[in-house]
């Protein structure tokens, strides 16, 4: 800390400058990243607990930059959101994802993450409809995942956007449930078909009675409201056993399958369908 003019301390953190500089450079590298073919999609299977078959796959975006190498979505998505580039990148993901899923067995759907910026964009339903049209994927096989934090900023607009997606036949999923500030009562206001229970509740499921109670409450409430539940981030057999007891509909996590490239997931789905 250095003493500044008014006798107050200002904190100078070199790491802070480095972070800002890295963020700036990543933002610059995001320009042209699509054209340079630096993005790749990976797919993580989601399994129904009733019969242990794959019900859908979540698409996760990967970026390998010419200068920075592999950059995690947790780092670059917020940068792309701030610059607005997420709209173009998000549309690309949607088109590629629908195209990949078209070749899968008919019962398997695809789950695509939507940025709040995309949800707020007026032409989202048109972009989604075009992705479905061009790929030939039936609307009922596309699920769009939205995180809870964005919904409360403008409740009426969020409901309208989700309803517009439902109207073209696309299913909506409330992602990361439990991490935001919304109360359970909000669930009844938003038109979601699926609730995805956040990994933070799953990770201490085998040692925390509170987490067990929370997950059970969410699963029971969702069932009463006619919604499906998916638990994410399953890493241990104990967590899986506990989720079976709660009668959660579906599970996703490293224990069952890691995110994988299109050709590998295609082979896995073909094998699963023949069994
Ligand atoms: P998310 O939507 O909650 O996705 C789940 C994240 O958990 C993924 O991280 C996935 O690889 C990871 N995961 C899956 N199973 C396990 C597990 O058993 N244990 C642990 N520890 N992690 C697990 P990833 O791929 O790094 O993505 C991070 C976040 O970046 C995503 O969180 C999502 O919010 C965002 N993201 C990824 N792809 C896209 C995209 O195409 N569009 C948008 N808007 N956001 C994306
Ligand atoms: Ca997600
Ligand atoms: Ca999630
Ligand atoms: Ca998340």
């Amino acid at each position: 800390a250095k003493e500044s003019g008014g006798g107050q301390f200002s904190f100078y953190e070199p790491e802070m400058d480095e972070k800002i500089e890295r963020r700036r450079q990543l933002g610059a590298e995001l320009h042209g990243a699509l054209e340079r073919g630096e993005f790749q999609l990976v797919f993580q299977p989601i399994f129904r607990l009733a019969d242990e078959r794959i019900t859908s796959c979540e698409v996760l975006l990967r970026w390998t930059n010419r200068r920075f190498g592999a950059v995690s979505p947790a780092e670059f998505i917020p940068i792309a959101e701030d610059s607005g580039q997420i709209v173009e990148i998000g549309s690309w993901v949607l088109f590629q994802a629908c195209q990949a899923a078209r070749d899968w067995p008919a019962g398997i759907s695809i789950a695509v993450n939507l940025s709040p910026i995309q949800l707020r964009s007026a032409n989202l339903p048109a972009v989604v409809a075009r992705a479905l049209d061009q790929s030939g994927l039936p609307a009922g096989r596309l699920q769009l995942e939205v995180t809870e934090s964005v919904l409360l900023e403008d409740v009426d607009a969020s409901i309208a956007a989700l309803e517009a997606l439902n109207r073209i036949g696309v299913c909506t999923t409330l992602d990361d449930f439990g991490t935001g500030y919304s109360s359970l009562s909000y669930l009844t206001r938003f038109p979601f078909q699926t609730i995805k229970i956040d990994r933070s509740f799953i990770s201490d499921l085998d040692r925390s009675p509170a987490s067990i109670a929370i997950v059970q409450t969410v699963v029971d409430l969702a069932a009463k409201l006619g919604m499906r539940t998916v638990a994410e981030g399953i890493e241990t057999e104990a967590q899986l056993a506990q989720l079976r007891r709660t009668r959660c509909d579906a599970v996703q996590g490293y224990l069952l399958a890691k995110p994988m490239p299109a050709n590998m997931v295609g082979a896995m789905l073909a094998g699963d369908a023949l069994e």
Side-chain angles (χ1 to χ4, degrees):
K2 287 186 296 196
E3 205 172 351
S4 62
Q8 288 179 329
F9 289 97
S10 67
F11 292 91
Y12 175 72
E13 305 276 2
E15 311 88 76
M16 201 84 102
D17 280 358
E18 275 163 37
K19 271 193 195 138
I20 291 168
E21 184 52 20
R22 177 175 162 92
R23 205 183 152 91
R24 195 192 61 74
Q25 289 180 8
L26 286 175
E29 282 299 318
L30 274 175
H31 284 287
L34 266 178
E35 290 74 10
R36 290 192 300 271
E38 293 184 346
F39 289 115
Q40 197 207 342
L41 300 183
V42 290
F43 303 83
Q44 186 177 32
I46 300 173
F47 297 80
R48 261 191 313 265
L49 276 180
D51 59 4
E52 306 192 350
R53 306 283 293 272
I54 298 171
T55 169
S56 58
C57 294
E58 180 176 7
V59 182
L60 296 157
L61 187 56
R62 295 291 175 260
W63 181 28
T64 310
N65 178 248
R66 53 183 180 180
R67 286 179 57 201
F68 290 91
V71 186
S72 121
E75 184 173 22
F76 74 78
I77 297 277
I79 301 173
E81 286 175 335
D82 281 353
S83 66
Q85 293 168 92
I86 191 65
V87 174
E88 195 191 351
I89 297 170
S91 295
W92 180 85
V93 171
L94 208 48
F95 278 80
Q96 297 293 314
C98 289
Q99 227 132 64
R102 179 199 42 200
D103 302 328
W104 296 349
I108 314 280
S109 33
I110 184 135
V112 180
N113 290 288
L114 272 194
S115 159
I117 316 273
Q118 290 173 277
L119 192 71
R120 285 194 214 106
S121 137
N123 67 352
L124 177 67
V127 172
V128 171
R130 196 148 35 85
L132 291 169
D133 203 48
Q134 286 188 7
S135 63
L137 184 76
R141 285 172 58 194
L142 176 63
Q143 291 162 13
L144 296 173
E145 300 196 355
V146 180
T147 54
E148 132 182 73
S149 57
V150 316
L151 301 169
L152 301 182
E153 284 167 22
D154 188 342
V155 171
D156 292 335
S158 299
I159 292 172
L162 293 166
E163 280 175 345
L165 294 171
N166 283 172
R167 266 198 304 277
I168 55 177
V170 168
C171 298
T172 48
T173 297
L174 178 55
D175 200 358
D176 297 351
F177 183 73
T179 56
Y181 300 98
S182 66
S183 70
L184 290 180
S185 66
Y186 267 106
L187 279 183
T188 60
R189 299 196 53 190
F190 295 104
F192 287 111
Q193 287 75 52
T194 304
I195 298 170
K196 205 179 243 197
I197 305 168
D198 191 67
R199 175 159 62 89
S200 54
F201 298 104
I202 309 306
S203 54
D204 55 359
L205 208 51
D206 32 12
R207 52 182 183 275
S208 160
S211 283
I212 295 174
I214 289 168
V215 172
Q216 188 67 69
T217 302
V218 173
V219 169
D220 292 345
L221 181 70
K224 285 200 183 95
L225 297 174
M227 294 185 226
R228 289 183 346 117
T229 41
V230 179
E232 67 178 344
I234 288 90
E235 294 180 349
T236 70
E237 291 287 353
Q239 290 163 359
L240 183 60
Q242 186 56 51
L243 287 164
R244 282 210 175 86
R245 283 192 285 275
T246 62
R247 309 202 139 271
C248 180
D249 290 303
V251 289
Q252 174 182 12
Y254 295 161
L255 177 72
L256 303 140
K258 289 193 171 157
M260 58 187 95
N263 57 337
M264 277 180 69
V265 86
M268 187 167 175
L269 292 173
D272 191 65
L274 288 175
E275 263 169 39

